[in-house]
Amino acid sequence: MCLNAIVRLVDLDCVVLVEDPTILQLRGVVFNESRCGSTLTANAKMALNPDKHRVYSDSAPTRQAMMACGETSSECSVGAAANLLKDVIYILVRLDEPEEENVFFKSNLQNTYNTIISRSFSNNSCIFLYKVQYKS
């Protein structure tokens, strides 16, 4: 998927220009396999301080950015995908809500995209949640 396709996902009628936007601080990323408690973890982050925290859970723009180069990075490099993801997140954390200060992201993309995630968030706290199946 190319950048033009991602840009088309934005509803331009909803875009509001803000003179001095607040830039939220990215405080952490939760990436996970399915059915392992990651939604509970993301919701707990929000509940710690709902007025100051924002959580993006499996948001379409971040998902599309991570998948832009294809599953095997055949359409562009991992570095290009990581830069695109950082740019998308920069846009998502600009807002006109001065009381909010921190943002967290949760994504359930599988191991194929872990390199993109880790390269994009190398200076941020990340956790990977998974579920171990036990036979009884």
Side-chain angles (χ1 to χ4, degrees):
M1 171 174 284
C2 66
L3 181 58
N4 291 334
I6 293 171
V7 170
R8 283 194 302 266
L9 293 173
V10 176
D11 183 357
L12 295 179
D13 293 331
C14 296
V15 173
V16 177
L17 297 177
V18 178
E19 281 189 35
D20 295 316
T22 301
I23 307 297
L24 298 178
Q25 295 298 311
L26 179 61
R27 296 295 184 196
V29 179
V30 176
F31 55 107
N32 58 283
E33 293 180 349
S34 62
R35 311 297 304 159
C36 66
S38 59
T39 300
L40 177 64
T41 302
N43 290 343
K45 288 286 188 192
M46 185 67 179
L48 287 172
N49 196 339
D51 293 335
K52 295 198 181 283
H53 292 178
R54 175 177 287 207
V55 175
Y56 286 99
S57 184
D58 301 317
S59 68
T62 56
R63 176 182 300 277
Q64 292 297 323
M66 284 187 273
M67 296 171 25
C69 291
E71 202 168 306
T72 59
S73 296
S74 59
E75 297 182 36
C76 60
S77 70
V78 172
N83 287 336
L84 175 60
L85 180 58
K86 286 190 269 189
D87 290 345
V88 167
I89 287 175
Y90 177 75
I91 292 168
L92 290 174
V93 300
R94 294 171 50 100
L95 65 143
D96 189 22
E97 300 287 338
E99 65 275 358
E100 290 184 359
E101 296 176 359
N102 304 306
V103 66
F104 301 89
F105 283 89
K106 179 183 98 64
S107 177
N108 70 352
L109 288 175
Q110 299 302 320
N111 294 336
T112 306
Y113 303 99
N114 287 352
T115 304
I116 296 168
I117 294 169
S118 61
R119 191 173 290 189
S120 298
F121 305 117
S122 61
N123 296 328
N124 298 97
S125 299
C126 295
I127 60 171
F128 178 67
L129 299 175
Y130 61 96
K131 181 172 154 180
V132 177
Q133 297 288 340
Y134 291 103
K135 293 183 181 181
S136 48

